[in-house]
Amino acid sequence: MKLLELRGITKRFAHTVALDNVDFDLLKGEVHALLGENGAGKTTLVSIISGVYQPDSGQILLEGKPVTLKSPRDAYRRGIVLVPQHPALPESLTVYEALALFLDKSPSRKLKTFIEERLRKFGIEVDLDKRISLLTPYEKVKVEIAKALVADAKIYIFDEATSLLGHGDRELLYKIIRTLCAEGRGVIYITHRIDEVFNIADRVTVLRKGRKVLTRRINEVTREELLEAMFGKKLEEYAGPRSASTHGEGLAVENLTVQDDYGRLAVRNVTLSVKYGEIVTILAAPGAGHREFLEAIVGLRKPVSGRVKVNGIDVTGRDPSFIRRMGVAYIPDDRLGLGVAPGLAVKWNLVMRDLDKFTTKVGTFHKFLNDALVKVLEKVGLAPDVLPVPCAELSGGQIQRIITARELFLREVKVIVALNPFYGLDYETTSLLRKTLIDLRNSGCAILVATEDIEEAVKLGDRILVMREGKILKEFSGSTVSARELAKVLTL
Amino acid sequence: MTRIRIRIVRRERTTRGFHLLLTVLSLIGAFLIAGVLMIFLGVNPLAFYSIFLQSSILTTWGLQITLSYLVPILLCCLSAIVSYRAALWNIGQEGQYIIGAMTALAAGAFLFPNVPPPLSYIILVLAGAAGGGVWALICGLLRIVSEINEAVTTLLMYYVALQLLNYVCRVAWRNPAFVGHPETYSLAPQYMLSFGGSLAIAIAVLVITWFLIDRTKLGLELDLLSEGFRVAQYSGVKPSRVILWSMFFSGALAGISGALYLASTSGFLQPEFSVGYGFAGIIAAWLCDLKVLYAPLASFLLAMMYSSGHALQACLHVSIDIIDAIEGLILMAVLTVHFFTRYKIVLVRQ
Amino acid sequence: MIIADILNYLLQLGTVFLLATEGSLVVQRAGLLNLGIEGFFAMAAFVAYLVQVMTGNFALSMLAAVCVAVAMNMIFTVLTVHLRLNHIVSGLAVAMFGVGLAYAFGRSLVQIPVYVQLPVLNIGGIYIDPIEILSFIIVGLLWFMMYKTKLGYKIRIVGEDPYVADMLGIDITKVRYIATLIEGALVGMAACYYILVSAGAWSEGVTAGKGWLAIVLAMMGLWDPLYAVAAVYTVVTIRDLIRLVPGIGENVFLLEAFSYIIAISLLAVVSHFEIKKRKRVSIPLALAKVYSREERARKYT
C-alpha cells in the first residue's frame, strides 16, 4: 500500500528549476532513501512533502487520496513530520515546552510523563527542562528527532540528520528508524552518503540537478551504479596537472582559535600556510569549523587568539575591506545572504567590494567603470545586459559567476579564499570556476578552498587537509591521495 | 473534485509602465473611497472633487498656494527617501521640520541678525539643516547604542519638538507686541525669502540630493545597508557610520524644509506652524517609489491636498482634518501597489 | 487630602495607559509593530463619546469603542500579514486615517462635557472604579496567558522567530489576528475610559500622542505584562505630576517636552540593559519584520 505518492512535481525559483517533473513514492514500513549531491533538489522535494513549499505543478497523494499541503501545520495534521537539516526551535522555551507546543497541547504532568515514556522507548536522552538557547547545535538535532518521535506520524522525513550527529548517535538513529518501520510507518531518509543508504534503506531514489535519475530496491543496485547516477559524467572528468612550482608564503595562519555564533570554540589552535602557486583544500563535514576558520581569515569574524598574515603582513582582526585591499578574495557559500546584495543590480554588486578603487575623491564613480565591468563579465561568460538586473532574479550559477568576477578579476588578487565554491552549481559554472582557480594558481596565486565535497577536494588540491571538530586531522598530497582514502578519514 | 485556492506568488520583473498604471489606479481608488467618506459627512462627493481641483490647480490663486506648499513637502519627501533607502525608518520629519525652523529663527533673529543677504540665506539653510540633522542624529545614536527602533524614537522626538515649539511661542521667544495669539519674534528682514527664492533653494537641494544619492557611492552605501548588516560589513561599509550620516542627512533635509517655510511665509513661529508637511513628505516618498527624480511630482499631489483643505472647510464646512484621513488612504493605496508589483495572486485549481 | 487627589488622578491616567500599553505589548510580542494604535485610539475615543452623548449608556459606549478599535486594527493586520507590507508605513497610514477621520467627524459635534461617574470603592480617600480594578485583573490575566498557556507560547514564538513557529505547526496568521484582536479590544477600552471618565469631553487634539506613548511604554516594560505596570506608572507619574505643580503656567510645555525626553532616556537605559540579558529575557526579535515562508525557507537550501 502506498503511503505517499508524488506525481510530476515541478518547482521553480525565479530562473532556476529546482525540481523538474519528479515522481516519488513511499510504501508502508519502508525506508526510502533520497540520494543526491548538494543542490540536487533533495531538500526542495522534502520541503514540498512537509508543506514548506507549494509545488508549481504536480500532484501529491496520501494513501491514495489527492491532497494539498498548505503549510507545515497542515502536513503535520495529515501525519507527516520532518526532522530538518538545520534545527528550527524556539530559543526561549524549554525542550519540554517546545515539544508540548508542537503537539498543540497545554503543558501538564500527564503530557510530560507521556513524552518521557515515548523518548525512553526510543532511547533518546534529552534534558526536558533545559532552555533551548542553552543547547549545543548537536543537542538541538536530538531535540528535533525527539520532536518528531513524540508525534504519532505516518511518515517521517530525516533531512541529512546525521550530518551533525556523532558516531554513536548515528547508530541510535538507525535503530529508531528500524523501530518506526516495524510499526508500519514510512521513512524518507535524505543523505549524500552512499554508505548510509546501504546501511538503512529498502529503496533508493537518486536526484541529479532537480531530476529523478533512478529508483531501485537496494538489493538490486550497486555502489557504482549509484555513484554513476549521482554524478554522471563528473566521475571520469579532469584530474589535471598539479602545481609546478611554489614560492613564498601567501597566507600564513598561526595558532588560530575562533568561536562560532553560539560562543563555542569552532576552530582550535590551527596553523597552516599556503604558498604562492598552490591550492590547498580543506575537506570537512558540515559544522567542522571550516566556515568559521575562513571567516576569521577574511575579517568577517574576530578570532579569539592567533595570527593571520597575508604576504607577511599581519591582518589579524582587521575589517573585511582592509583585508580586501591587501589583495585577498573571498568567495562565500551563502550566496544570497552574504555573497551578493540580492536587491541591488549586478552593476552595484560588482563594485561593492572595491569602492575605493572605482570612486573618485568626491565619491562619484569613474567613467571607465562600465567598461571595466563589461570586461570582467566577459571573463565569466556573462553578457553585459545583466548589469542592471537585480541579483535576486538570477540563477545560482549566474550569481556565482558574478561573485567570481568581482572577487577575482576586479582587483589584482594574491590570495584567494573560497568556501564550498561549487555548492549547488550547474555543470558549466563548476567547470568554469575550477578552470579559473587553476589558471590563477598557475599564474602564482595562493589559494585556500574549504569544501564538503570529496571529489572537489581531490580535483583541486595540491595539498588536502581534513578538518574535524575545529582541528586539522591529517594532511595528504594531492597527487597521491585517492577519494576512497579521504572518505575513510572523513568518516572516522 | 475541484477546489479553487488563492495563492500569492512572487512576480518576475515588472515594467515601469505597469508600476505607473497601478499607482494611478490606486490613487483613483483612494479618491473614490474619499468620496464615500464625504457622503458620510453629508457632502456631495462631486462637489468635493470639483472644489478639490479648483482650489489646488484650476485657479491661478489655488495653484500659487499649492506651489507654496510644494517646497516644504518636497524637502520632507527627500528626507524620507534618504532614510528609507537605507531601511532606516525615520518618521519624525515633522519634528525635524519644527526644530529646523527654530534653529533658523535662533540664527536669523537672535544670533546673526545683521548679516547681509547672500550670506544670510546660507546661514538660514545651514542653521535649519543643523537643527533638523542633530534632532534625527539623536535617534540614530540611540539605534546604535541601545538598539531602539528609530521609528519609535523619531516619533517621540516629534512630540518633544512640538512641546518646545509651544514653549518658545508662548514663553521663551514670545513677541509681546502680539497680544492674544502667541507668536515669536520675527526673522531679521534680510533673511526673508520670496516664494521664488525658497523654490530655487529647494531645487538646488533636490539636485544636490539627487547627485549624492544617485551618482555617488553614498547612495550605494545606503542601499547596501538596507540589504543587511552582514553584506554591508563584507563590502566595507561600516553600518554604524552609515546609520549616523544618513539619519543626519535625512533630518537635515527636513530641517531645511522648516527653515525655508519659515523664511518664505510669516518669518515668525506660532503653535500652528506644525501642520503635517512631514507626514505628507513620507507619503510622497512612497508615492514616488523612493526615486528622487519623481519626488517633485509626488510632492505636488500632496501639496494639492493641503491647498484644498481650507477651501473644503470654507465651502463645504468639512473639517480640515479630513485631509489627514485622505492622506492615510492614499498611503494605504500606494502601499498596496508595492504588494502588487512584487506579488501576484493566482487561483489554483486542484 | 491633596495627596489622595493626586493619587486618584494618577490612577485614572495610569489606567488609560496601562490598558493601551498591555494591548500594544501583546501585538508586539507577536512580532507586529503597530503604529496604527494612534489612529484607532482616536477613532475609538470619538465613537465612545458619540455613543455616550446619544444614549448615555457607558457599557454601550465601551462596546462601540471596542468594536471600532478592533475593526480598524484589522486594516493594519491585512496590510502587514496578508500583503506583507512594511509595518511602520502601514501603521502610519492607519494612524493618519484614524486620526483624520476622528477629528473630521468630531469637529461637527457640539462639544458638551459628559463626565461619566462610575461607581467607586472609597479606600481612605482614594476612589477606585471598576475599570481601574479591571485593568489590574487584565494585567494578571495577560501574564497568565503569556507564560502559562498555549496561546501565550504561540504568541511569543511567532514574535521571536516566525520561521520556527511555522515549523512547529503554529498558524502564524491566526495567532497574529488574535493578538491584534486583543490589542484592539484593550485599546478600545482605554480610549473609552479616557474620553468619558478622564477627559470628559471631546476636543481638538484630545487623544494626541496617547497611542504612540503606549508603544514606547510596552517596549520599556520589556514586553512583559507585569514590568509594563512599572513602566506605565513611572512615566505617567513623571509626566503628569508636572502639570499639578502650582504656578507652572506655560512652562508646562517645556517640562512636558522634558518628560518625553525622560521617557526616551528610560527606554534607552532599559534597552541597553536588555541587550546584555538577551539570553535570559525573551523578546520579540522579529518585531516589525515581514515574514514569508517560501522566501525564508530558501535561505536554508
Side-chain angles (χ1 to χ4, degrees):
Chain A
M1 161 99 188
K2 277 181 184 171
L3 262 181
L4 171 78
E5 189 178 358
L6 305 184
R7 287 183 193 157
I9 297 289
T10 299
K11 178 73 186 172
R12 281 183 208 89
F13 292 120
H15 290 258
T16 49
V17 181
L19 289 176
D20 186 2
N21 201 20
V22 171
D23 297 326
F24 183 81
D25 63 352
L26 181 68
L27 304 177
K28 260 192 171 167
E30 78 160 348
V31 180
H32 193 155
L34 201 52
L35 192 66
E37 274 188 293
N38 276 354
K42 295 169 297 182
T43 299
T44 310
L45 187 65
V46 291
S47 296
I48 283 174
I49 301 173
S50 56
V52 177
Y53 294 144
Q54 307 285 308
D56 292 326
S57 63
Q59 214 178 14
I60 304 172
L61 293 96
L62 264 183
E63 296 180 309
K65 274 178 251 150
V67 291
T68 313
L69 302 167
K70 280 173 279 187
S71 61
R73 176 176 31 95
D74 197 22
Y76 166 57
R77 284 211 194 114
R78 294 174 190 273
I80 302 170
V81 293
L82 166 73
V83 177
Q85 191 177 359
H86 305 277
L89 295 164
E91 298 279 325
S92 69
L93 300 188
T94 65
V95 174
Y96 166 60
E97 286 167 335
L99 295 182
L101 199 57
F102 181 60
L103 293 173
D104 205 15
K105 296 213 168 77
S106 292
S108 69
R109 205 50 267 160
K110 220 176 102 194
L111 183 68
K112 196 163 185 180
T113 323
F114 165 78
I115 290 177
E116 278 166 353
E117 267 170 25
R118 187 117 181 119
L119 294 184
R120 203 172 305 132
K121 178 184 155 195
F122 286 104
I124 289 250
E125 280 168 37
V126 282
D127 183 354
L128 284 182
D129 295 316
K130 211 165 175 188
R131 253 183 83 143
I132 288 172
S133 59
L134 302 174
L135 299 179
T136 63
Y138 154 74
E139 288 173 306
K140 283 181 186 169
V141 175
K142 277 171 100 177
V143 174
E144 281 286 0
I145 295 172
K147 191 183 106 183
L149 292 179
V150 295
D152 186 28
K154 291 184 208 129
I155 298 170
Y156 285 85
I157 307 170
F158 293 90
D159 186 0
E160 306 268 11
T162 49
S163 62
L164 285 172
L165 286 181
H167 222 63
D169 288 307
R170 227 172 271 170
E171 289 305 320
L172 176 65
L173 181 67
Y174 295 156
K175 216 181 94 199
I176 290 170
I177 289 175
R178 289 192 193 103
T179 317
L180 289 172
C181 290
E183 288 173 352
R185 307 169 206 268
V187 173
I188 302 173
Y189 193 86
I190 293 110
T191 182
H192 58 277
R193 296 180 182 167
I194 294 180
D195 279 339
E196 278 201 320
V197 174
F198 284 105
N199 225 326
I200 187 84
D202 300 307
R203 278 197 300 162
V204 58
T205 290
V206 179
L207 292 179
R208 187 168 83 220
K209 288 192 212 161
R211 292 212 181 128
K212 192 185 92 169
V213 189
L214 105 186
T215 298
R216 257 344 142 67
R217 296 200 59 77
I218 201 75
N219 45 20
E220 293 164 358
V221 70
T222 64
R223 180 179 294 265
E224 275 58 46
E225 279 176 297
L226 287 183
L227 269 175
E228 188 66 33
M230 275 174 81
F231 300 105
K233 57 184 170 180
K234 273 174 115 181
L235 279 180
E236 66 247 26
E237 198 206 339
Y238 185 86
R242 299 295 164 177
S243 172
S245 66
T246 62
H247 58 94
E249 201 167 50
L251 174 70
V253 180
E254 293 160 17
N255 302 322
L256 199 67
T257 298
V258 189
Q259 286 186 331
D260 66 7
D261 294 337
Y262 309 95
R264 296 181 314 154
L265 288 184
V267 180
R268 299 153 199 252
N269 218 16
V270 171
T271 300
L272 77 81
S273 97
V274 185
K275 296 203 167 58
Y276 288 119
E278 73 166 345
I279 299 179
V280 174
T281 55
I282 296 177
L283 177 65
H290 50 305
R291 174 184 308 273
E292 288 78 7
F293 183 59
L294 297 197
E295 285 182 352
I297 292 174
V298 298
L300 283 166
R301 207 174 268 277
K302 298 271 173 278
V304 180
S305 61
R307 294 259 150 270
V308 178
K309 285 180 187 163
V310 171
N311 199 20
I313 298 164
D314 192 336
V315 297
T316 320
R318 300 304 294 260
D319 58 78
S321 57
F322 177 85
I323 294 175
R324 171 69 174 163
R325 286 198 296 274
M326 302 294 301
V328 177
Y330 178 52
I331 301 178
D333 70 341
D334 181 6
R335 284 170 210 144
L336 282 173
L338 180 63
V340 295
L344 301 193
V346 168
K347 178 177 177 185
W348 304 124
N349 272 294
L350 283 173
V351 291
M352 76 180 193
R353 285 264 279 164
D354 302 294
L355 285 177
D356 59 315
K357 198 179 153 194
F358 291 107
T359 51
T360 58
K361 283 221 173 71
V362 197
T364 51
F365 296 99
H366 281 306
K367 288 217 174 68
F368 60 79
L369 176 65
N370 262 20
D371 297 338
L373 297 185
V374 170
K375 221 177 279 169
V376 297
L377 281 181
E378 220 168 83
K379 284 192 185 172
V380 294
L382 289 175
D385 55 5
V386 296
L387 278 177
V389 181
C391 275
E393 293 175 17
L394 301 178
S395 71
Q398 285 171 309
I399 290 175
Q400 188 69 328
R401 282 165 194 241
I402 297 207
I403 297 173
T404 308
R406 176 186 71 208
E407 294 295 323
L408 304 185
F409 299 131
L410 274 181
R411 181 187 278 277
E412 198 190 329
V413 293
K414 299 181 211 121
V415 176
I416 300 167
V417 179
L419 177 59
N420 285 329
F422 306 101
Y423 172 77
L425 289 186
D426 55 287
Y427 178 73
E428 286 75 18
T429 312
T430 307
S431 337
L432 177 93
L433 183 53
R434 191 185 303 128
K435 186 176 172 300
T436 307
L437 287 176
I438 287 171
D439 287 349
L440 283 168
R441 174 198 63 191
N442 295 341
S443 63
C445 283
I447 302 178
L448 177 65
V449 177
T451 176
E452 291 157 18
D453 187 321
I454 292 179
E455 272 90 356
E456 293 305 338
V458 176
K459 278 176 189 160
L460 271 180
D462 299 315
R463 286 191 289 141
I464 299 156
L465 312 176
V466 179
M467 193 175 207
R468 239 183 73 194
E469 287 167 5
K471 288 181 184 149
I472 303 288
L473 211 62
K474 217 163 173 188
E475 182 175 332
F476 296 92
S477 158
S479 46
T480 54
V481 76
S482 74
R484 182 170 297 272
E485 222 175 320
L486 284 174
K488 264 192 209 151
V489 182
L490 195 63
T491 52
L492 266 180
Chain B
M1 182 186 79
T2 58
R3 269 171 60 228
I4 291 182
R5 278 193 56 226
I6 294 173
R7 269 184 59 199
I8 295 171
V9 182
R10 215 163 187 5
R11 226 181 245 287
E12 314 259 306
R13 208 135 56 108
T14 52
T15 62
R16 205 166 278 180
F18 179 72
H19 196 123
L20 187 70
L21 176 74
L22 278 183
T23 307
V24 171
L25 283 179
S26 74
L27 284 175
I28 292 173
F31 275 93
L32 285 179
I33 299 175
V36 175
L37 285 181
M38 289 300 151
I39 296 173
F40 280 107
L41 283 164
V43 172
N44 181 353
L46 292 178
F48 158 67
Y49 295 131
S50 109
I51 294 214
F52 170 72
L53 288 178
Q54 275 176 26
S55 59
S56 58
I57 42 172
L58 293 183
T59 55
T60 335
W61 180 76
L63 193 61
Q64 266 173 7
I65 305 250
T66 304
L67 284 173
S68 75
Y69 292 141
L70 175 66
V71 171
I73 293 177
L74 173 63
L75 289 169
C76 287
C77 171
L78 294 178
S79 159
I81 291 173
V82 167
S83 82
Y84 300 163
R85 276 276 295 270
L88 290 169
W89 306 108
N90 175 10
I91 50 175
Q93 278 80 9
E94 189 69 18
Q96 293 137 21
Y97 159 91
I98 294 171
I99 297 296
M102 278 168 54
T103 45
L105 183 66
F110 306 115
L111 295 177
F112 318 103
N114 300 317
V115 174
L119 190 60
S120 65
Y121 298 136
I122 295 171
I123 289 177
L124 180 84
V125 171
L126 288 183
V134 169
W135 209 243
L137 189 64
I138 294 169
C139 304
L141 273 172
L142 286 171
R143 159 80 187 261
I144 292 168
V145 177
S146 301
E147 292 185 22
I148 312 178
N149 190 313
E150 66 284 354
V152 174
T153 46
T154 46
L155 245 181
L156 278 188
M157 292 298 274
Y158 156 55
Y159 277 88
V160 177
L162 201 59
Q163 302 299 338
L164 284 179
L165 173 68
N166 266 297
Y167 177 71
V168 298
C169 293
R170 291 167 204 269
V171 186
W173 298 342
R174 175 155 195 177
N175 186 349
F178 293 104
V179 187
H181 193 252
E183 279 155 19
T184 63
Y185 291 100
S186 298
L187 283 172
Q190 68 270 30
Y191 278 87
M192 295 302 289
L193 281 166
S194 65
F195 163 70
S198 78
L199 188 64
I201 295 178
I203 290 171
V205 173
L206 173 83
V207 171
I208 292 170
T209 310
W210 168 79
F211 178 76
L212 288 177
I213 297 299
D214 282 357
R215 282 289 171 271
T216 73
K217 69 172 181 182
L218 295 187
L220 184 54
E221 288 185 354
L222 294 179
D223 290 337
L224 282 169
L225 185 66
S226 76
E227 294 280 329
F229 273 30
R230 256 174 82 77
V231 177
Q233 195 199 7
Y234 176 52
S235 56
V237 172
K238 293 206 174 50
S240 48
R241 213 192 61 209
V242 180
I243 290 177
L244 289 181
W245 79 251
S246 63
M247 283 302 275
F248 181 84
F249 189 11
S250 169
L253 288 167
I256 295 173
S257 158
L260 289 188
Y261 194 63
L262 176 77
S264 65
T265 53
S266 56
F268 56 79
L269 287 171
Q270 48 187 346
E272 294 79 17
F273 185 74
S274 163
V275 287
Y277 298 136
F279 295 107
I282 295 173
I283 298 166
W286 287 98
L287 194 58
C288 69
D289 196 26
L290 308 185
K291 303 254 186 337
V292 174
L293 287 182
Y294 299 116
L297 199 63
S299 306
F300 186 80
L301 186 87
L302 267 298
M304 283 167 65
M305 302 287 314
Y306 273 88
S307 63
S308 66
H310 291 286
L312 289 176
Q313 192 158 357
C315 306
L316 301 173
H317 308 290
V318 187
S319 159
I320 197 164
D321 294 298
I322 197 69
I323 296 300
D324 280 339
I326 299 175
E327 282 181 9
L329 279 175
I330 292 177
L331 186 51
M332 285 180 214
V334 171
L335 284 174
T336 318
V337 171
H338 278 256
F339 170 76
F340 281 107
T341 49
R342 281 183 296 159
Y343 301 97
K344 58 187 168 192
I345 292 175
V346 291
L347 298 176
V348 187
R349 202 180 301 264
Q350 313 270 224
Chain C
M1 228 36 244
I2 287 172
I3 291 174
D5 280 347
I6 291 174
L7 283 179
N8 279 327
Y9 175 73
L10 286 181
L11 194 59
Q12 227 172 46
L13 265 171
T15 303
V16 173
F17 281 110
L18 188 58
L19 285 170
T21 301
E22 296 287 339
S24 181
L25 176 154
V26 172
V27 89
Q28 288 186 45
R29 259 285 157 93
L32 299 171
L33 181 54
N34 186 353
L35 297 179
I37 183 171
E38 179 76 10
F40 52 89
F41 190 97
M43 268 309 277
F46 164 71
V47 169
Y49 176 75
L50 190 70
V51 173
Q52 184 70 24
V53 169
M54 290 190 323
T55 67
N57 184 333
F58 182 74
L60 206 61
S61 312
M62 181 150 290
L63 184 71
V66 167
C67 289
V68 166
V70 167
M72 280 204 59
N73 210 2
M74 286 304 139
I75 302 177
F76 174 78
T77 320
V78 169
L79 289 176
T80 52
V81 176
H82 292 295
L83 301 191
R84 302 168 192 181
L85 295 168
N86 180 297
H87 292 197
I88 289 152
V89 194
S90 306
L92 196 62
V94 173
M96 294 186 80
F97 180 64
V99 171
L101 212 57
Y103 289 99
F105 281 102
R107 193 169 285 191
S108 53
L109 289 179
V110 187
Q111 294 166 359
I112 26 165
V114 282
Y115 273 107
V116 173
Q117 286 292 331
L118 294 172
V120 289
L121 211 65
N122 186 343
I123 305 171
I126 298 168
Y127 302 100
I128 300 176
D129 67 41
I131 306 283
E132 288 165 353
I133 296 171
L134 186 65
S135 76
F136 286 99
I137 294 175
I138 285 173
V139 170
L141 285 177
L142 282 181
W143 182 85
F144 183 79
M145 182 201 80
M146 207 59 98
Y147 296 109
K148 299 289 167 198
T149 69
K150 214 165 67 184
L151 177 64
Y153 283 166
K154 287 185 180 174
I155 290 178
R156 278 159 55 197
I157 301 308
V158 166
E160 252 177 56
D161 190 339
Y163 180 71
V164 165
D166 215 355
M167 298 311 279
L168 276 176
I170 296 170
D171 187 340
I172 295 172
T173 310
K174 193 169 118 195
V175 167
R176 289 194 159 163
Y177 265 100
I178 293 173
T180 44
L181 206 77
I182 295 173
E183 185 196 31
L186 290 176
V187 172
M189 282 172 68
C192 172
Y193 183 78
Y194 172 68
I195 198 73
L196 298 182
V197 179
S198 182
W202 181 260
S203 59
E204 190 62 34
V206 67
T207 63
K210 300 281 181 296
W212 279 326
L213 193 55
I215 297 170
V216 178
L217 291 172
M219 291 180 168
M220 220 184 277
L222 289 176
W223 303 278
D224 181 293
L226 293 185
Y227 294 170
V229 179
V232 166
Y233 278 92
T234 312
V235 170
V236 166
T237 308
I238 295 171
R239 205 177 102 94
D240 291 284
L241 277 186
I242 291 167
R243 292 169 200 272
L244 301 177
V245 176
I248 186 162
E250 305 209 298
N251 286 319
V252 72
F253 292 108
L254 186 62
L255 288 170
E256 209 159 291
F258 191 58
S259 75
Y260 277 107
I261 292 174
I262 288 176
I264 295 172
S265 318
L266 278 177
L267 179 61
V269 172
V270 169
S271 304
H272 202 73
F273 159 83
E274 169 259 306
I275 294 167
K276 287 187 183 152
K277 295 279 163 87
R278 188 157 284 174
K279 282 256 143 104
R280 261 179 278 162
V281 187
S282 81
I283 56 159
L285 285 172
L287 188 63
K289 293 194 179 115
V290 172
Y291 176 67
S292 153
R293 179 189 301 141
E294 293 220 348
E295 278 155 43
R296 169 68 196 266
R298 268 203 81 185
K299 289 197 173 161
Y300 280 81
T301 52

